[in-house]
Amino acid sequence: MKEITSKFEKVLNASSSYGNVNHEPDSSKEQQRNTPQKSMPFSDQIGNYQRNKGIPPKSYQNSKVYIIGSGIAGMSAAYYFIRDGHIPAENIVFLEQLHIDGGSLDGSGNATEGYVIRGGREMDMTYENLWDIFQDIPALEMPEPYSVLDEYRLINDNDSNFSKARLIHNNGEIKDFSKFGLAKLDQLAIIKLLLKKKEDLDNITISDYFSESFLSSNFWTFWRTMFAFENWHSLLELKLYMHRFLHAIDGLNDLSSLVFPKYNQYDTFVTPLRRVLQKKGVNIRLNVLVSDLHIHSNTEGKTVESIITEQDGKEVIIPVGKEDFVIVTTGSMTEDTFYGDNKTAPIIEIDNSTSGQSAGWKLWKNLAAKSEVFGKPEKFCSNIEKSSWESATLTCKPSALIDKLKEYSVNDPYSGKTVTGGIITITDSNWLMSFTCNRQPHFPGQPDDVLVLWVYALFMDKQGNYIKKTMPACTGDEILSELCFHLGIVDQLDDVIKNTIVRTSFMPYITSMFMPRAKGDRPRVVPNGCKNLGLVGQFIETNNDVVFTMESSVRTARIAVYELLNLNKQVPDINPLQYDIRHLLKAAKTLNDDKPFVGEGLLRRVLKGSYFEHILPIGSNENDDHESFVQEQITKFKDWIKGIKG
C-alpha cells in the first residue's frame, strides 16, 4: 500500500517500530513510563487515539480468506479483514458445519412450537472490541445512520437494570441478598489471589484454594450462578474474571452492574452483523464440515496449503494459496447439544469415552496432533460431568407462573422494560436452579401475550427436591414441576403446564473453557511459526482477557487479523479499571459488606476537604472511624499515652 504512505516514506523507513508492532500488548507486564523509545500508547490506554485506521503493508486484493465457523469470532474476523485489512468482502468465505450461522449465540423458534435459547453471555460497558465493531453496524430497528451500539445505549440509558429478588428460598420467599457474607480470612484470600502471578496458578482448582466458608458464602452464590463457575473449575480463570470485572463488584448482588439488549443475543448481534457482511459480498456456506487442514512445515514456519472438507457426503479439498488466510474456531461450548421438550428428556448419547469426537473438537484435535503449538484440546472436552449443564427455555402464556413472576419483577413483564433484572437463584434447590425473564418481547415478532423465560441449573448429578431425578433425566414438565415447587405454586401446576411450552438443552461442554488448565493447553491466536493461520474463539490464550464472553471472541478475531496482516495497529489490552484506586477502594469496602476497610478512617481524615476526597467509597463518614483497625490502634496508643501521663 505504498501509495497510502508515500508522503511519509522518509519517516517510516527510518523507524524501528514500523512493521514491528506488538499487536497484543500486555498490561500485566508493562511498567507505564514515557521514554524516548516509546511512540505507541500504553497497552491498556483505551480511547479515541486507538481508533486510527490500520494500514496493510501491502495489497491483499487477491487474497482469499477461509473462516471455519460462523460464530461471533468468525464474523468479527471477517469484519476486521474488510475494514482494517482492505480485503474485498467477496474474497471471504465462511465454512460452517451447521445449517445456520451464529455459533453459540443462538436464538430460534416460535410461539407455537416454543422458543429456544441455549444460553446468553454477560454484557459489560467495557467491551472495547465488541463496541468497536457494533458502533458501525446498522441498528436492527432504528433508521440510518444509527448503529447497534446506539440502539443498545438508548434502551439501557433509559431503563436501568437491577434485581429485587436475586435470591429466593423456602418455596418462593425472597431471601436477603444485601450482604456478601465473607469472613475476614476469605476477604484476605481474594486479595491474595489478586496479587498472585498468573504463572503460579496452573491446574489449580477453586476448591483447592478457597475455604468451605468462602464456598458457602452469598458472594460465591452470586458469582458462580452469574458466571456459571463450579468449585472444580480453574482458579486462574476466576482470578482473571475478578480483575476483569473488579469495577462491577458492587453490583454483583443486585445485578445493577449489568446491561442487557432488547432482544436475544442472536437477533441483537448476529443478525445485523451477518446482514452487513452479506451485503458487502461475503459468502457464507452452510452444511460444510471441515475435518482437517493440510499444513506444510519447514524451517521458515507453518503454512496451510489446503482445507479438507466434507460436502454432501463427499470429501472436497479446498486449495489455499500462499497469499490466502485461514481462520479456525477451535472447539465449541455448545457442540453435541441434546434437546428435550415438555414430554421428553434429552437423550444424552455421549460420555467421557465418546466425548470430543464431533466436528469442532476433532478439527482442533487434528491440529494438536501436528504440533504442540496448537494446545491440548483433551484438557477441555474429556470430563463432561464437570463441563456440562442444562438449560430450559419456557414459552409462557398467562398462568400462575406469570403471576408469581410479577412478584419478583422490577417492572410489569409485559411493559418492555427490565423484568427480573437478571437471574433469580433458588438457594435451597438441590440443582442450584436459577431463572430469568429479560426484557419482553425477547424475539422480534413474539406475540404480546407470550413471555419467554430462561432456566438453568449447575448441579447435574443431584436429585431434585420435588422431582426425585437429576435435571438431565427430567422432561420439560418435570422441570416445570420442580420450579413451581420452589416458587410455592406446585398446587397450581396443572395451570402452569397447560400454558407453558418447555424446550430443554443439555450441553456437555458449556463450561469446558473453565476447566483447570496450564500454560500451553490453549494455543495463541497466531500459534508460533504460523504464516497464514489464525485461531479464534473461547479456547484461545490471550494475555489478560477472560473467556465465555462475546468480547473475548471478538478480541481473538481482531488480534488474528492484525497479526496475520501485520497492521500498524494494536488491539488494546482489557480496560484498566483494575488499576484504578477508586475501584480498588470500592472493592475492599464491598467485600467487607460496606463496613470500613482497614485504614479507611485514617484515609478519610487525610483526604477530607481535598481534591481527592471523592475517590473514597460512599456510604461512610467519620462516625465509622472506630470500626477501622488502624483507628483502633491509634485510640489504643492515645490511651497508653494518657496512662503514662497518669
Side-chain angles (χ1 to χ4, degrees):
M1 292 282 195
K2 292 288 186 180
E3 65 276 8
I4 296 176
T5 59
S6 60
K7 299 294 185 180
F8 300 87
E9 283 189 0
K10 289 183 179 180
V11 173
L12 299 181
N13 291 337
S15 170
S16 59
S17 299
Y18 191 65
N20 296 296
V21 172
N22 177 7
H23 300 100
E24 188 188 3
D26 186 351
S27 63
S28 70
K29 308 289 188 197
E30 180 186 56
Q31 289 186 314
Q32 296 198 355
R33 185 179 178 212
N34 290 300
T35 66
Q37 292 76 36
K38 180 165 182 56
S39 59
M40 300 197 78
F42 296 124
S43 54
D44 55 5
Q45 195 165 326
I46 308 295
N48 287 328
Y49 192 72
Q50 296 274 33
R51 301 195 187 282
N52 61 300
K53 292 180 173 61
I55 304 171
K58 62 179 183 179
S59 173
Y60 294 102
Q61 290 294 307
N62 296 319
S63 295
K64 289 187 176 181
V65 177
Y66 299 96
I67 300 177
I68 301 168
S70 65
I72 192 67
M75 287 193 172
S76 300
Y79 172 83
Y80 282 117
F81 272 120
I82 296 167
R83 191 194 78 175
D84 293 349
H86 302 173
I87 290 181
E90 58 270 21
N91 291 7
I92 299 174
V93 178
F94 279 93
L95 304 174
E96 170 59 59
Q97 63 164 315
L98 300 176
H99 68 283
I100 190 172
D101 56 9
S104 297
L105 280 185
D106 58 358
S108 60
N110 55 62
T112 303
E113 298 171 325
Y115 294 100
V116 179
I117 319 154
R118 288 183 290 187
R121 309 290 87 80
E122 300 293 2
M123 299 298 297
D124 193 84
M125 300 177 190
T126 65
Y127 288 176
E128 296 295 330
N129 296 288
L130 181 77
W131 301 128
D132 178 75
I133 286 183
F134 285 100
Q135 68 176 338
D136 293 331
I137 301 301
L140 186 69
E141 295 181 324
M142 293 172 67
E144 292 184 359
Y146 295 101
S147 70
V148 171
L149 174 59
D150 297 325
E151 216 164 37
Y152 206 98
R153 287 290 305 268
L154 184 67
I155 195 163
N156 281 281
D157 289 355
N158 294 284
D159 179 31
S160 61
N161 189 82
F162 65 95
S163 172
K164 74 173 192 179
R166 177 64 179 87
L167 305 178
I168 62 173
H169 65 163
N170 295 339
N171 301 115
E173 177 187 333
I174 296 176
K175 184 178 180 179
D176 179 18
F177 58 93
S178 61
K179 305 297 182 186
F180 283 174
L182 288 167
K184 287 288 191 290
L185 288 178
D186 294 326
Q187 296 176 43
L188 183 61
I190 292 174
I191 293 170
K192 286 182 176 179
L193 178 60
L194 292 172
L195 294 173
K196 284 183 178 294
K197 291 184 176 181
K198 294 177 291 184
E199 295 79 9
D200 297 335
L201 301 178
D202 284 357
N203 290 322
I204 299 176
T205 68
I206 292 164
S207 58
D208 287 338
Y209 178 80
F210 282 108
S211 69
E212 272 304 314
S213 62
F214 173 88
L215 297 174
S216 61
S217 67
N218 271 0
F219 174 88
W220 185 234
T221 300
F222 296 142
W223 193 282
R224 73 184 311 179
T225 54
M226 177 175 169
F227 294 120
F229 273 94
E230 303 274 20
N231 294 359
W232 52 78
H233 281 154
S234 166
L235 181 66
L236 170 58
E237 191 61 34
L238 175 61
K239 171 185 169 65
L240 294 174
Y241 260 77
M242 287 182 169
H243 286 278
R244 186 70 163 93
F245 296 107
L246 183 74
H247 61 280
I249 197 168
D250 57 330
L252 184 62
N253 58 337
D254 65 3
L255 302 175
S256 58
S257 57
L258 298 182
V259 284
F260 287 104
K262 178 181 178 182
Y263 296 123
N264 65 84
Q265 292 177 331
Y266 181 88
D267 285 303
T268 299
F269 296 106
V270 175
T271 296
L273 180 54
R274 182 195 65 241
R275 286 176 180 172
V276 167
L277 294 177
Q278 289 184 314
K279 186 176 181 180
K280 289 179 178 293
V282 168
N283 181 14
I284 300 177
R285 295 169 59 185
L286 304 174
N287 300 306
V288 177
L289 187 152
V290 176
S291 60
D292 203 358
L293 306 179
H294 178 236
I295 299 176
H296 177 70
S297 298
N298 58 23
T299 56
E300 295 181 0
K302 301 174 178 63
T303 305
V304 179
E305 293 189 333
S306 62
I307 302 170
I308 303 171
T309 74
E310 183 180 310
Q311 303 178 42
D312 298 324
K314 299 178 181 178
E315 182 178 275
V316 177
I317 297 177
I318 301 172
V320 177
K322 291 183 178 180
E323 296 296 317
D324 298 341
F325 299 97
V326 178
I327 300 294
V328 175
T329 304
T330 55
S332 170
M333 69 175 84
T334 52
E335 199 139 317
D336 291 326
T337 298
F338 298 94
Y339 297 97
D341 55 31
N342 286 72
K343 303 304 180 184
T344 60
I347 300 173
I348 302 169
E349 300 174 332
I350 193 172
D351 57 26
N352 288 336
S353 65
T354 56
S355 64
Q357 297 303 309
S358 49
W361 290 102
K362 285 189 74 173
L363 175 57
W364 185 10
K365 285 183 174 182
N366 286 337
L367 289 175
K370 304 178 195 301
S371 172
E372 63 181 11
V373 301
F374 296 116
K376 299 175 182 176
E378 65 276 3
K379 291 286 289 280
F380 305 96
C381 65
S382 301
N383 195 340
I384 61 175
E385 290 87 356
K386 293 187 175 181
S387 64
S388 62
W389 46 254
E390 183 175 0
S391 70
T393 310
L394 313 183
T395 304
C396 307
K397 289 286 187 72
S399 72
L401 175 59
I402 301 307
D403 293 338
K404 191 67 180 179
L405 175 72
K406 291 178 181 179
E407 296 180 21
Y408 305 132
S409 300
V410 175
N411 299 292
D412 185 295
Y414 299 98
S415 67
K417 300 180 68 177
T418 294
V419 185
T420 61
I423 59 169
I424 296 171
T425 295
I426 305 166
T427 59
D428 53 358
S429 162
N430 288 348
W431 295 347
L432 194 56
M433 179 188 281
S434 300
F435 65 96
T436 183
C437 183
N438 290 326
R439 294 184 180 102
Q440 301 292 312
H442 200 51
F443 288 83
Q446 181 180 318
D448 293 340
D449 64 339
V450 168
L451 297 180
V452 175
L453 279 66
W454 186 76
V455 179
Y456 96 111
L458 282 176
F459 299 158
M460 295 293 99
D461 60 339
K462 309 290 186 187
Q463 287 192 350
N465 302 73
Y466 182 73
I467 300 295
K468 303 303 180 180
K469 297 180 181 180
T470 63
M471 187 179 182
C474 287
T475 66
D477 285 348
E478 288 172 329
I479 292 172
L480 265 185
S481 302
E482 184 75 9
L483 177 62
C484 288
F485 167 77
H486 285 294
L487 297 181
I489 56 171
V490 74
D491 58 327
Q492 301 176 76
L493 181 58
D494 290 343
D495 174 53
V496 175
I497 289 177
K498 179 182 176 182
N499 291 286
T500 309
I501 302 171
V502 184
R503 302 284 297 275
T504 58
S505 306
F506 177 83
M507 296 164 283
Y509 314 111
I510 190 60
T511 52
S512 54
M513 70 292 294
F514 286 170
M515 294 297 284
R517 65 177 188 269
K519 184 178 181 180
D521 290 343
R522 302 192 310 191
R524 301 297 299 191
V525 175
V526 178
N528 185 38
C530 290
K531 302 298 184 182
N532 64 344
L533 173 63
L535 308 180
V536 298
Q538 297 296 316
F539 299 90
I540 304 302
E541 193 69 39
T542 58
N543 291 330
N544 297 302
D545 212 347
V546 299
V547 292
F548 216 0
T549 67
M550 279 191 282
E551 169 70 0
S552 55
S553 288
V554 178
R555 176 181 295 279
T556 58
R558 195 175 186 184
I559 293 170
V561 173
Y562 287 14
E563 195 161 330
L564 287 172
L565 302 186
N566 195 21
L567 299 183
N568 65 322
K569 186 173 171 64
Q570 297 169 311
V571 179
D573 207 338
I574 65 172
N575 198 295
L577 294 178
Q578 60 173 317
Y579 303 117
D580 189 325
I581 187 65
R582 296 168 295 180
H583 292 290
L584 290 168
L585 293 174
K586 179 183 71 175
K589 188 160 189 129
T590 302
L591 290 174
N592 200 32
D593 284 331
D594 288 328
K595 296 174 183 176
F597 54 82
V598 173
E600 181 179 337
L602 183 61
L603 191 57
R604 286 189 179 279
R605 291 192 173 196
V606 171
L607 295 179
K608 185 177 180 180
S610 76
Y611 177 82
F612 292 101
E613 184 177 15
H614 73 285
I615 72 171
L616 293 166
I618 61 172
S620 292
N621 54 49
E622 288 186 76
N623 293 328
D624 295 322
D625 285 352
H626 67 280
E627 298 183 55
S628 165
F629 174 81
V630 173
Q631 188 63 33
E632 286 178 9
Q633 306 313 307
I634 293 173
T635 301
K636 289 178 181 179
F637 179 73
K638 288 179 178 178
D639 291 341
W640 180 70
I641 293 295
K642 288 179 182 178
I644 293 176
K645 291 180 177 179

